[in-house]
Amino acid sequence: MTFGEQPAYLRVASDLRQKIVSGSLPPHTRLPSQARIREQYGVSDTVALEARKVLMAEGLVEGRSGSGTYVRERPVPRRIARSGYRPAKGASPFRQEQAEDGTRGTWESGSEQEEASPEIAKRLGIRVGDRVMRTRYVYRDAGEQMMLSNSWEPLAVTGRTPVMLPEEGPLGGCGVVERMAAIDVVVDNVVEEVGARPGLAEELLALGGVPGHVVLVIERTYYASGLAVETADVVVPADRYRIAYHLPVK
């Protein structure tokens, strides 16, 4: 086989990937051994090994101890609806948006005070070391972990108010917009930036992924008259979910 200018391991990986996508190598089928790949494509052991590593990093195959490498079941991506904020009553944006899609979203959370790191201070427009309320979330769809989130709110805004703890008190779980409105802070803008990166070990453990899996990261910040009142990192497994935005036309 002539490989041209593209590195040989990428050409091998591309051919094997096509067989997986087309169904020639269906889920749970054992991937050809390293020796078989070497013979079939006329490449070295190193090239065969690197091609297998590419497929594993893409989440298409998985290694099973003492058994070999097998094609993974490919999940059908589900939709996570995003519509920025909505000043509705009595429900968080997460619950509202998932209700639209007919899913059964639940979450667990825990809050604690900490000092703002340089990154969080920059995002919130405060000084490094200023006190913030950090809340960690694990979101589930029908019991399956689907999303993680870390949010930070400056205590200069919410400290000593009834909404200092995002998930407790009379407005616990109602979302940033309604909670801020209760202390006369009017949220008028939200910015979301979406990126992708390999998942951290602790993220993949919580989300049921394997090392090398890619996650989508939504960096979200709520503003009130230019003042950042909350910022968050939302982490979603890229192989299982797609982010769908509802953008009103004005």
Side-chain angles (χ1 to χ4, degrees):
M1 180 178 292
T2 302
F3 290 98
E5 296 182 0
Q6 189 178 40
Y9 77 95
L10 291 180
R11 292 294 298 271
V12 173
S14 179
D15 190 65
L16 291 171
R17 184 190 303 111
Q18 179 57 37
K19 291 179 178 179
I20 292 172
V21 172
S22 68
S24 298
L25 288 173
H28 311 297
T29 299
R30 185 175 179 179
L31 197 70
S33 67
Q34 189 167 313
R36 178 61 179 155
I37 293 174
R38 183 189 64 216
E39 294 171 3
Q40 181 178 350
Y41 295 94
V43 297
S44 66
D45 281 335
T46 299
V47 169
L49 177 61
E50 290 302 315
R52 288 156 63 94
K53 287 182 179 179
V54 168
L55 298 177
M56 191 168 293
E58 292 175 351
L60 295 175
V61 301
E62 61 184 356
R64 299 180 186 174
S65 180
S67 179
T69 304
Y70 291 79
V71 177
R72 294 183 67 243
E73 188 81 43
R74 299 184 67 202
V76 178
R78 286 179 283 173
R79 185 171 66 96
I80 293 179
R82 305 288 297 174
S83 57
Y85 71 82
R86 278 186 248 170
K89 300 294 182 181
S92 73
F94 171 75
R95 180 171 289 169
Q96 293 171 342
E97 292 161 1
Q98 298 314 301
E100 284 189 350
D101 202 33
T103 57
R104 300 184 298 278
T106 61
W107 70 87
E108 296 177 1
S109 65
S111 298
E112 62 183 351
Q113 294 187 34
E114 66 179 27
E115 295 182 353
S117 67
E119 178 188 359
I120 298 304
K122 181 178 180 180
R123 286 163 58 171
L124 289 174
I126 60 179
R127 295 173 299 181
V128 175
D130 281 357
R131 304 296 291 176
V132 295
M133 183 65 71
R134 178 176 182 172
T135 305
R136 295 177 172 88
Y137 295 87
V138 177
Y139 295 90
R140 293 182 172 85
D141 173 13
E144 176 187 338
Q145 291 94 327
M146 62 175 291
M147 187 164 65
L148 305 175
S149 177
N150 277 281
S151 76
W152 295 266
E153 295 180 354
L155 287 174
V157 175
T158 62
R160 300 181 183 275
T161 74
V163 301
M164 186 173 72
L165 294 170
E167 299 298 325
E168 297 182 21
L171 291 176
C174 288
V176 175
V177 176
E178 188 171 349
R179 290 176 47 251
M180 293 297 167
I183 57 173
D184 298 323
V185 175
V186 179
V187 174
D188 54 19
N189 191 26
V190 57
V191 175
E192 292 194 350
E193 297 183 8
V194 182
R197 59 166 170 76
L200 304 178
E202 57 269 26
E203 293 169 342
L204 296 175
L205 180 63
L207 294 169
V210 299
H213 273 194
V214 173
V215 295
L216 300 173
V217 181
I218 304 168
E219 182 182 304
R220 180 196 70 206
T221 305
Y222 284 101
Y223 294 91
S225 299
L227 173 70
V229 297
E230 190 256 18
T231 193
D233 288 331
V234 182
V235 178
V236 181
D239 63 331
R240 283 185 275 152
Y241 293 94
R242 296 292 181 267
I243 308 298
Y245 280 89
H246 298 261
L247 303 176
V249 177
K250 296 183 179 181

